[in-house]
Structures are given as C-alpha cells and as structure tokens.
Amino acid sequence: MEYNLADLFESVVDVVPDREALVYVDQPGTGEERRLTYAELDAAANRVAHHLLDAGVRPGEHLGLHLYNGIEYVQTVLACLKARIVPVNVNYRYTEEELAYLYRDADLAALVFDAEFTDRVAAALPRTERLRHLVRVGLPPEGSPGLGCVPYAEAEAAGSPGRGFGPRSGDDLFVIYTGGTTGMPKGVLWRQEDLFFAGLFGGDPSGNPVKRPEELAERVAAGGSGLTFFPVPPLMHGTSTLTAFIAFDYGQRVVLHRKYVPEEVLRTLEKERVSSISLVGDAMLRPLVDALRGPCADTDLSALLTLSSSGAIMSATVRTQLQELMPHVLLLDNFGSTESGSNGRATEDSGPAKGFRLYVNERTRVVDPATRAPVAPGGTGRLAQCGHVPLGYYNDPAKTAETFFERDGQRWVLLGDMATVDASGVVTVLGRGSQCINTGGEKVYPEEVEQALKAHPDVYDALVAGVPDARWGNHVAAVVQLRADAEPLDLAALQDHCRPRLAGYKVPRQLVLTESIQRSPSGKADYRWARTVAVDADAAERKAG
C-alpha cells in the first residue's frame, strides 16, 4: 500500500464503516439535510467511479468539478481518486470566457456541474474539443439546452457499489487550479503522496505524521469519534477540500453548507456541535463577528475548539473581536498556498506593530530569488519550500521552470511572498512581490496598509493598490468599504488614523469609497479590480480638477 488518497480513505472506511462521515445542511430555509456514514459515502463514490469508467473516461484523464459545496462534490472527488481519474476544481464564478480557457487548459475529458451553470457550460463547450462526458447535478432552468448530460442521480444509481478498481500509486495525480490575485488560472500538479504530507500533514496536523500508510487506519481504530470539521469556504478552493480530507484521515465527521450565510453557519455550529471551523480572512470573519454581536448573540459555541483562517490574513482587529466573543476558542491564522500546502501559522505577537510573523515548518525557507540560496537572518527574500512540493504547473513549462527548482538534491518551489527571517527562524511576511508598490523609491506592501485601515472603526473592508503618479512613480491608494452605519470618512481623517501606525510613505494618498470590495468566493483579494477602481477614480479627479 502506498500513500494514495483513495487507498488511505478506504482503509479508514474499513475500520469505522458505521461512523457518520458527511453531513450536508442546505440553507436557508429548505430543510434539506443529508447524512452519510463512511460505508455509505464509500459505496456512493464507488458507484460514481464505475459510472465514469463505464462511460469511457480513462484513468489519467481529467474531470472538472464545476459545483457548489455539497455531497456530490465530495463523492465525485473520491470517485476520481478511486478510478485514477484526475480531479480538477473549477471556479463557479468564472464567466464563459474564463471557463472555456480553463476547460481547454486543463484538458478536461469529463465535467460534473450544477444545473444552475448550464447556460455558461453550454457557451463554453464549443471551444473545448476534448470534453466529451457531462454529468449534471439537479434540474436545469426551464429552456436550458440539454447538452446530452447524464443526471447525477442516474450516474450514481447505474454504477456498482463495490470497489473492484485496479492498483493505485502515490504517483497518481491531483490538480488544483489557482486563480491567485493576478493572471489567468494555473493548474498546480500534485503527486498524491506529496499532497498527503504537504497539504494533509501526513494524517496529523498536530505534527506527528504517519510513518507507514497502514498506520493511518490503525490510529483511527485506536481513537474515538466526536470531532466535527466545518470547512465553510467553497470546496472548489483547495483549502476546504483538503480540510475535509484531513477530517477523513482522522475518521471524523465533516459538515458542509452550499453557500456562506453567517447566521446559518452559526446555527450549524450550535446544532452539530462543531469542533473546528475553517474560514478565509476578514471577508468571512467580519460578517461572522457582526452576526455574533447581533441576531446570533445567544449562539452556543461551547463545543467549538478551533477557528482557523487561511488564504487571507486575519486582521488584528478581527482577531481581537473574535477572542472577546469566543475566549475559549483557539484562533489559528494559517499560512500556505496551492503550490506549497502548509508553510506555518502566525505567531502570538503577529499584528500591525511587528508585522505578519510566522512560525514556519522545517521545509520552509526565505531564499534569495536570484541565487535561490537561503538569506542570512535580517535579510529579505522570497519564501520557498522543499521536499513534498508539486511537480509544476499543468501545461505551462515556462512558469514551472520559473517557480520550481532543484537544489542540494531536493525539489523546491519559489513562492510569491517576500519575507524576512530573524535569528530564531521566525519569518515576517512582507507581502506578494507582484503587488509591491514602489512609491518614491520606497517599497510598500498592500497587506500592511490594509491591516492599518481595518483598525479604523468605520472601515468594514479595504484593499490597497498602486496608482501611477508623476511625482512618486506610484502613490498608495486605499479602496475602502465603510460599515453600513459609519460616519462619513475623508482622506484627511483616514491619514490621521494611519500615521501613528505606518511610516509616512505608506500612508494612502488617495481614498476611494466603494459599496463593496470585490473578492474571490474564498475571500482572496482581487487586486486587479482594486487597481482599476483606483486608477479610474484618480483619472476622474484629475479631469474634474
């Protein structure tokens, strides 16, 4: 037996078949609820896997998951792993142009999609010549094209519930597409063994990875049940899918919602006695804080042990608010990426005063981006990780050569984050190098300024971008969403708030107020949008002036 995700899952099923594995709570107000034991989830995934193979989808070919959160998403990922078909996540926010690009770039042979997306799928299909098998979840809107789809319920019913699959390998692939904050989406190509150790902590996030594949089931058999994991962000983003698989590696229970509704999330936390919830940054956490301070103030959170954020930094202001509202809960600000898995977690003193500081794992270093050698304490470089890292980017040899490298007999990935490291090994993340603003020869990283902005009591959300400037090269612009009940805020007041917290050259020279900040479904910043908004506002002001 190798470190193959399907083999590992089946080994857990075999020791706890009757334990509840997956709960789906639809919302709001539908009353729909589905619960599957490990044995039921295994059998359902087997059925879908056999349907795909019977339909001519071959091992090694790629299947896209164009789905909201739901049981079908989890079953389909497991089905792909069982049949050695490569699962590929699809961002359901994409337009037909973006979908056509991703379908082509990922070489999709099959697609499982929610009926709500039928029209967009139909528009993209003519430009995706490899895509030949479609499975649709739910009923399409009236008048939508048929597309020759197989209904998901029929696909599941037609397949055999037994396993009967061929041998698998730790070299079997898993592709995670990441949109990042700039550029077209890229498919990160993971070996399953590498993903198990880098993204799933080798079966134990506490730091004690298994040493043999068989040990995973042995630990589950020797332990007990009682933990419930609640990955709230969309499963189409790697973090939530990996969180679900971490729970399965423990033989524990996963709860899912279709979409993020803070009040419904809190009701589920109470009803299902959730132990661990994962979200993404302030975009998800601020609405949760507001709900806890308002209509859901009496929510029973006594079962909750940990709240984790990853994919976007949790501001110090929100961290303080959460700690006041749930003092017994351990707040974890995790740091990682699609290209690296986990890198580490924020230190206790991380915040505006000292910056975003990390305890990193033993495989993470700060390296010189030119020589790829580790920087000395106090030096600045880019984060990199070695060991269990991806093979590269699918269909992009140039980007792969730029990002992945060999040194000292190990494979490394060079990440986009600039950072410094101190003598104790603690890393301070400065920000994405691609978003760095050069203003008057000084470097400004948006994340640091955003932390200061979010400490203002009237600021609900904010992004920072550089705008071309005749004098400074670029000036710092703040795109700000105010709270609904906020007092009017002008640039001078915002600058007065920021000056005690930031060096003068980091203080915004432009303020753009917006009704809402545009982010990805998982809460990641959309810096292209922020820069466009700020540049357009600057041009309008100069024209008016």
Side-chain angles (χ1 to χ4, degrees), residues 74-284:
V74 178
Q75 287 179 174
T76 305
V77 172
L78 286 168
C80 288
L81 300 178
K82 285 169 172 284
R84 302 187 73 186
I85 296 166
V86 182
V88 178
N89 58 315
V90 177
N91 190 322
Y92 56 68
R93 291 281 182 86
Y94 282 169
T95 64
E96 62 186 62
E97 291 294 327
E98 293 168 313
L99 290 175
Y101 169 84
L102 191 150
Y103 291 176
R104 288 196 310 270
D105 188 70
D107 288 326
L108 295 187
L111 180 73
V112 180
F113 66 99
D114 267 313
E116 182 176 326
F117 307 125
T118 299
D119 289 343
R120 270 183 274 172
V121 172
L125 272 178
R127 289 168 282 174
T128 55
E129 58 279 356
R130 290 176 180 264
L131 185 49
R132 62 183 187 271
H133 185 64
L134 302 175
V135 179
R136 180 163 53 200
V137 177
L139 297 175
E142 187 174 348
S144 294
L147 303 180
C149 302
V150 177
Y152 193 92
E154 290 184 17
E156 184 179 342
S160 167
R163 291 175 183 169
F165 304 102
R168 308 179 185 111
S169 165
D171 292 327
D172 290 349
L173 298 176
F174 198 116
V175 174
I176 305 176
Y177 264 77
T178 175
T181 53
T182 60
M184 295 301 287
K186 304 180 293 295
V188 181
L189 194 61
W190 282 94
R191 294 175 60 251
Q192 289 188 29
E193 178 174 325
D194 291 327
L195 187 60
F196 175 69
F197 284 101
L200 305 179
F201 303 93
D204 187 357
S206 68
N208 185 25
V210 299
K211 297 177 176 60
R212 298 173 292 108
E214 298 79 8
E215 187 182 346
L216 189 73
E218 293 168 2
R219 291 185 181 186
V220 171
S225 61
L227 296 179
T228 297
F229 291 72
F230 189 3
V232 176
L235 290 165
M236 68 179 180
H237 290 280
T239 299
S240 278
T241 296
L242 296 182
T243 298
F245 272 82
I246 288 169
F248 294 150
D249 285 346
Y250 272 137
Q252 303 298 322
R253 186 172 69 145
V254 175
V255 172
L256 293 177
H257 274 190
R258 181 177 174 86
K259 297 180 181 179
Y260 178 52
V261 180
E263 293 80 5
E264 297 294 330
V265 165
L266 289 169
R267 291 189 186 100
T268 295
L269 280 175
E270 179 177 87
K271 178 176 179 290
E272 299 295 334
R273 304 291 292 169
V274 170
S275 315
S276 178
I277 184 172
S278 56
L279 303 103
V280 178
D282 285 6
M284 284 189 164

Side-chain angles (χ1 to χ4, degrees), residues 426-473:
V426 172
V427 166
T428 300
V429 178
L430 303 174
R432 303 290 289 184
S434 59
Q435 304 306 328
C436 181
I437 302 166
N438 190 323
T439 178
E442 299 283 2
K443 292 182 178 180
V444 178
Y445 291 93
E447 291 93 334
E448 181 182 6
V449 183
E450 289 161 8
Q451 287 266 349
L453 294 172
K454 291 176 184 179
H456 192 290
D458 289 330
V459 172
Y460 189 76
D461 200 0
L463 292 179
V464 169
V467 172
D469 188 290
R471 179 179 180 185
W472 304 103

